[in-house]
Amino acid sequence: MTDRFATTPFGGRSLSYAMLAAQEKTARARERMADATADHPEKWPLLRSLTEARAAFFLSDRAIAVLEALLSFHPETVLDGSAPLIVFPSNAELSMRTRGMAPATIRRHLASLVEAGLIIRRDSPNGKRYARRGDTGEIEHAFGFDISPLALRHAEIEAHAADARNLARAIHRIRSEITIHLRDISKTIEAGLSEGRPGDWTQYAEELAALSGRVGRSLPLETLERRRDALTALRVRVEKSYLASLSDEEMSASDSTFERHIQNSNIEHQFEKSPEKGLKQSAALQAETVSSGKTAALIKMRKQLNAARGNRNHPQPDGRKSMSEPGTAQVPLTAVLSACPQIGDYARAGIADWRDLVQAAGVVRSMLGVSPDAWDRAKSTMGEVNAAITVAAILERVGDIRSPGGYLRALTDRAEDGLYSVVPIIKALGGSAPARLE
C-alpha cells in the first residue's frame, strides 16, 4: 500500500482542502526525513507539548484526550514518521479509552484533529477499521487513522509549546505586578487619608477603583500590560504625593536624639548569672509563652527571673528595665541592609548611616499600615534604631504577616519585658551579627 492510497473519506463525509494539504505536507516531510538523520520523538512527551500548544492548533482539551486514546493503540513509545503509523480501534474501544465519551463527540474531535493536520484518515472500502496480515503475521494493509503526521510535525509542536510557556510566564509575572501595585497604592492612599496628609487622595482613590477588580485568568497579555502600566503611573504619583507631604521633622532627626535611642537589647545577660534552677524555670516558662502567646506567661517569667537573680538588677517599679538606654547597635548596618534590602527603595538618596535607616523606616511604616501611635511606642520602647530594624525586617516578610501593625505592637510588648532582640531576626533573614552575640 502506498502513502497516497485511500485519500478520500468513506461515506457521506466530504473531502476538504485541509485533508489533501495535510497528506501532501506529510509526503514532503517523509522525503526530507529520508535525506537527513531522522529525529523520532517519544509519543507521551510530544502529547504533553501539544497540550501546551493546543491553542496554536485550535484544539480543545477533549480533542487532546481523543488523540491520547489513539496514541495508546500504538504499541511503540517512539513515533517513527518515516512510514505510516496506522491505528484501527473500534468505536466501542475508542469510547472506552476516552472515559466513555459519546461516539458523536468522538467523531467531532477526530474531524478537528484531521483538519489540524495531526492525523490522516485511511478509510477501508466499507469504512471499517481493520488490518490484514500476511503469512508471517505482519500487517500488510491497515485501515484507520494514520498518526505519523504528529511525529513529522514534532519540531513545530515543540516551538509552539515553548511560545505558550513563555506567554504563561509573562502573564503570571504581570498578574503578580498588578496585584502588588493594587496593594501598595491602596495602603498608601489609606495612610494619606488616615493621617490627614495634604494630597488629592480622593482623586487617587477614584482612579484606583477604576483600575481595580478581579484580574481574570483569560485576559490577554496586551490587556494585562495596559492595566499594569496604568497602575505603575498611578503608583508613582501616589508615592510622590505622600513623600512630598512628609515634614522635615519626619524626614530628619538630630544626632543627639538619634544617639539616645541606640541601645543594646541583648537578652542573654538575664540568664548568664541565674542559678541552674532559675534557668530551668525560665526555659519552661518560655516554652509556655511560645505555645500560648499570653501576656500572663511573660509576667510570670519576669517575676521568676527576678527571684532567681535575687533581684540583683533592681528592676523598675513596673518590673522591667528601660529599653532606651544609650549604647551601640547590636547589628552592623551592612548586615541589616544585606538581610533587608527592600528598605533601601524607600530612602531618597540611599542608606548611608543609621539616620537614613530611621527615616526610611518612618516612610515604610505608614505604607505598611502601622499607626503613628504604634510607631512612636516602638521607638520609645526599643529605641529608634531597633524599631527601624524591626520595620525593615517586617517589610521583608510582609507577605507572611497578616497585620504588620499588630505584629509590631506584639514585638513592642516583648521589648517592654526585656524579651526582644533584633539579632535573631537579622540572622533568620540571612544577615550576620558580631561574634560576641552568637
Side-chain angles (χ1 to χ4, degrees):
M1 145 177 172
T2 66
D3 188 41
R4 300 300 182 91
F5 181 73
T7 57
T8 59
F10 172 80
R13 292 190 299 268
S14 60
L15 177 67
S16 68
Y17 74 92
M19 296 180 185
L20 289 178
Q23 295 178 53
E24 184 64 23
K25 185 182 294 186
T26 300
R28 292 179 181 179
R30 287 204 181 102
E31 292 175 0
R32 290 193 299 269
M33 182 179 290
D35 299 332
T37 302
D39 183 14
H40 306 314
E42 295 185 3
K43 58 183 180 181
W44 300 127
L46 181 59
L47 182 68
R48 179 182 179 86
S49 297
L50 181 62
T51 302
E52 294 176 316
R54 66 183 184 275
F57 295 91
F58 304 100
L59 297 175
S60 66
D61 54 347
R62 304 200 76 185
I64 298 296
V66 173
L67 180 60
E68 180 183 12
L70 290 177
L71 289 175
S72 69
F73 290 100
H74 182 64
E76 303 296 332
T77 301
V78 176
L79 299 179
D80 184 0
S82 59
L85 302 175
I86 300 177
V87 293
F88 39 91
S90 65
N91 290 334
E93 190 63 27
L94 192 57
S95 176
M96 183 65 66
R97 296 201 186 184
T98 53
R99 305 298 185 266
M101 190 180 295
T105 306
I106 293 176
R107 288 194 295 270
R108 185 173 67 253
H109 293 307
L110 286 172
S112 66
L113 292 170
V114 172
E115 291 293 324
L118 298 176
I119 63 174
I120 296 176
R121 290 184 182 275
R122 301 296 186 188
D123 286 347
S124 65
N126 61 0
K128 301 294 183 180
R129 303 178 202 130
Y130 60 90
R132 291 176 180 172
R133 300 181 182 274
D135 296 337
T136 59
E138 295 181 354
I139 296 177
E140 293 182 346
H141 300 288
F143 301 97
F145 299 101
D146 185 1
I147 59 176
S148 62
L150 178 67
L152 295 172
R153 300 181 65 180
H154 74 277
E156 178 187 358
I157 293 172
E158 294 293 347
H160 284 300
D163 293 340
R165 287 191 291 269
N166 292 335
L167 177 62
R169 283 194 290 268
I171 290 176
H172 178 74
R173 182 181 65 254
I174 293 180
R175 283 171 55 86
S176 299
E177 293 178 9
I178 290 174
T179 301
I180 292 174
H181 286 324
L182 289 172
R183 182 189 67 198
D184 291 351
I185 295 172
S186 175
K187 288 184 177 293
T188 306
I189 294 174
E190 181 182 356
L193 290 171
S194 63
E195 297 169 7
R197 297 187 179 275
D200 298 330
W201 304 116
T202 304
Q203 177 64 27
Y204 294 149
E206 292 176 355
E207 295 181 28
L208 178 62
L211 295 172
S212 299
R214 183 175 178 273
V215 184
R217 295 188 178 276
S218 59
L219 291 177
L221 179 63
E222 294 77 10
T223 303
L224 293 174
E225 287 178 339
R226 288 195 297 270
R227 188 172 180 183
R228 185 269 314 270
D229 294 341
L231 286 169
T232 301
L234 178 59
R235 177 174 181 172
V236 171
R237 293 163 51 205
V238 169
E239 290 184 351
K240 283 185 177 180
S241 180
Y242 187 86
L243 291 174
S245 70
L246 298 179
S247 64
D248 294 338
E249 182 181 1
E250 291 173 312
M251 294 299 296
S252 63
S254 64
D255 292 342
S256 59
T257 301
F258 181 71
E259 288 290 340
R260 283 198 301 271
H261 290 283
I262 299 177
Q263 40 78 34
N264 185 352
S265 62
N266 182 18
I267 64 173
E268 294 181 0
H269 68 279
Q270 298 178 1
F271 303 99
E272 288 177 356
K273 298 181 181 180
S274 299
E276 182 179 357
K277 181 178 180 181
L279 287 173
K280 291 181 179 180
Q281 291 175 344
S282 65
L285 287 172
Q286 189 171 12
E288 179 184 353
T289 302
V290 172
S291 61
S292 64
K294 296 182 179 179
T295 306
L298 295 175
I299 297 174
K300 184 178 179 182
M301 175 185 286
R302 183 174 65 246
K303 290 180 178 179
Q304 295 216 8
L305 286 175
N306 290 334
R309 290 195 296 267
N311 293 322
R312 287 190 296 269
N313 290 337
H314 302 289
Q316 296 180 359
D318 62 349
R320 65 172 184 268
K321 294 182 66 178
S322 173
M323 292 294 294
S324 58
E325 298 174 353
T328 58
Q330 293 178 316
V331 184
L333 178 60
T334 54
V336 175
L337 297 180
S338 175
C340 309
Q342 295 188 53
I343 191 71
D345 297 337
Y346 299 89
R348 287 185 172 181
I351 297 179
D353 52 26
W354 290 113
R355 182 185 298 107
D356 294 337
L357 180 66
V358 174
Q359 293 173 357
V363 176
V364 169
R365 67 92 191 160
S366 61
M367 300 185 67
L368 294 177
V370 178
S371 65
D373 176 70
W375 173 235
D376 291 340
R377 180 166 170 258
K379 290 190 295 182
S380 176
T381 303
M382 302 179 185
E384 285 191 337
V385 171
N386 284 339
I389 294 174
T390 302
V391 170
I394 292 175
L395 177 63
E396 290 297 316
R397 295 293 178 84
V398 68
D400 302 324
I401 299 174
R402 179 178 300 176
S403 174
Y407 188 67
L408 181 62
R409 288 183 183 274
L411 294 180
T412 304
D413 292 339
R414 291 181 61 82
E416 288 182 343
D417 293 296
L419 300 174
Y420 174 67
S421 172
V422 297
V423 175
I425 293 180
I426 296 303
K427 285 184 177 182
L429 288 173
S432 58
R436 62 184 176 86
L437 297 175
E438 295 179 355

